Amino acid sequence: MQNKFKGIASLLLATIIWGSAFIAQSVGMDYMGPFTFQAVRGLLAVAALLLLIGLRDLRQRGKKPFFGDFRSKKLWKAGILCGIPLFLASNLQQVGLVNTDPGKSAFLTAMYIVMVPILGIFLGKRPSRMIPVSALLAVVGLYCLSCVGVTSVSPGDLFLLACALMFAVQIIMVERFAGDTDPLALNLIQCLVCTVLSGIVMFAAEAPVWSQIVSCWLPLCYAGILSLGIAFSLQILGQRHLESASASLIMSLESAFALLFGWILLGDTLTLWEGIGCALVFLAVILSQIPTKELSAPKPAQEAQAENCKA
């Protein structure tokens, strides 16, 4: 029970941070390009995690080697496999935020909750019978969010859908490869991978300006240290203590928190159709995680006769 409460608390805190971080990420687009934002954000996350791990290891001197966790090949393998989809997801999300408000972005990103069990089919996991209903509701919801009143889908919406797919891959990678690895150390490696790859694209496609980076220090620190550094460590910890259905359901609250913070801090509003779309996507997210009781298969006739004879 204590571990379950720990998992719920970890994921709930992570979703609050992620939801509010949409505001910081949106504001950051007023100062710099998306890849510059992600590279600097990731660098801050790596620095913060190195400091936390170093202070923790100093307190545990004599119990284990200083930064000893990083000697594990399993940890590096898990970090790289989690870091690549995190790089793709976070940058696709940042590009999508250029043309989409934070609340709508959060709901489109939340589509990973529907995608996770679908992708699980390729890993031999049998999906819930609610998946077709959830997928239909999600498609209708996305139409209300993105297509009502317009003749074409916004490019930002497509980027965010691709982002949702990459986040679904990242969640599956964490579940499959994280195991009993240290959450802070694993997150540091995946953040390092994300930072290096974002930095390469930044120098190739953008022209970072130091004065703009300094002017955006608060959104960068919030999105880097809290969202990427702390919240993703909490995600790894939470997924360790909860079943995937429970964890995904809690993580879906990220979209609701993003709408709340967008309303409080930015004065964002939703149209009626966007509100209906948000409600349908949120319902799809919940239904996709409801476990269904499989009907037991009928017994073969010979087995039934044998049981009757024994009786």
Side-chain angles (χ1 to χ4, degrees):
M1 181 60 72
Q2 185 178 1
N3 285 338
K4 185 176 181 179
F5 177 78
K6 186 177 182 180
I8 292 172
S10 298
L11 285 176
L12 184 59
L13 182 55
T15 58
I16 293 173
I17 296 173
W18 285 333
S20 57
F22 273 96
I23 310 301
Q25 291 175 247
S26 180
V27 172
M29 291 301 87
D30 297 333
Y31 293 86
M32 66 196 74
F35 294 104
T36 301
F37 186 91
Q38 287 298 328
V40 178
R41 172 196 185 190
L43 191 62
L44 290 169
V46 170
L49 288 167
L50 274 173
L51 179 61
L52 286 175
I53 293 171
L55 291 174
R56 182 196 64 187
D57 287 359
L58 280 175
R59 293 180 60 185
Q60 297 178 350
R61 276 183 302 180
K63 296 182 180 180
K64 66 177 184 178
F66 192 63
F67 285 110
D69 291 322
F70 296 99
R71 300 178 185 180
S72 169
K73 293 182 180 180
K74 177 183 176 182
L75 175 68
W76 281 94
K77 177 183 176 182
I80 292 171
L81 290 174
C82 294
I84 293 174
L86 177 62
F87 154 72
L88 293 171
S90 59
N91 281 283
L92 285 167
Q93 184 183 69
Q94 200 65 40
V95 172
L97 277 167
V98 174
N99 299 311
T100 309
D101 65 79
K104 183 178 176 183
S105 299
F107 268 100
L108 289 172
T109 302
M111 285 299 297
Y112 67 75
I113 309 296
V114 179
M115 296 177 182
V116 166
I118 294 177
L119 290 178
I121 296 174
F122 297 99
L123 298 176
K125 295 183 178 180
R126 189 174 182 179
S128 164
R129 289 181 295 176
M130 294 301 298
I131 289 297
V133 178
S134 300
L136 178 61
L137 282 174
V139 169
V140 175
L142 285 172
Y143 180 84
C144 294
L145 268 172
S146 307
C147 304
V148 171
V150 297
T151 57
S152 62
V153 177
S154 166
D157 296 344
L158 296 179
F159 281 120
L160 288 164
L161 282 176
C163 155
L165 177 60
M166 289 299 102
F167 269 130
V169 174
Q170 189 264 350
I171 291 170
I172 290 175
M173 290 297 177
V174 169
E175 181 180 7
R176 185 163 186 178
F177 294 104
D180 57 353
T181 57
D182 175 59
L184 290 177
L186 176 58
N187 192 30
L188 189 150
I189 295 176
Q190 74 169 358
C191 287
L192 181 62
V193 172
C194 184
T195 302
V196 171
L197 295 178
S198 297
I200 293 172
V201 181
M202 174 189 72
F203 287 114
E206 298 175 353
V209 179
W210 177 250
S211 60
Q212 294 176 343
I213 294 174
V214 173
S215 300
C216 188
W217 69 271
L218 184 57
L220 279 169
C221 287
Y222 192 91
I225 297 173
L226 284 178
S227 177
L228 195 56
I230 302 302
F232 275 94
S233 298
L234 291 170
Q235 176 211 348
I236 296 170
L237 179 62
Q239 281 192 248
R240 180 184 297 175
H241 295 300
L242 290 175
E243 296 179 0
S244 58
S246 300
S248 300
L249 182 57
I250 296 171
M251 290 164 68
S252 71
L253 294 174
E254 171 191 358
S255 52
F257 286 123
L259 281 176
L260 177 62
F261 285 111
W263 173 63
I264 294 174
L265 300 177
L266 299 181
D268 289 337
T269 57
L270 289 175
T271 66
L272 175 61
W273 282 111
E274 287 175 333
I276 293 173
C278 286
L280 289 175
V281 172
F282 192 71
L283 180 60
V285 163
I286 295 174
L287 288 179
S288 69
Q289 301 304 317
I290 296 177
T292 56
K293 198 171 184 179
E294 300 293 339
L295 294 176
S296 57
K299 296 180 180 180
Q302 293 179 350
E303 291 184 10
Q305 290 178 359
E307 288 185 2
N308 290 334
C309 291
K310 290 179 181 179

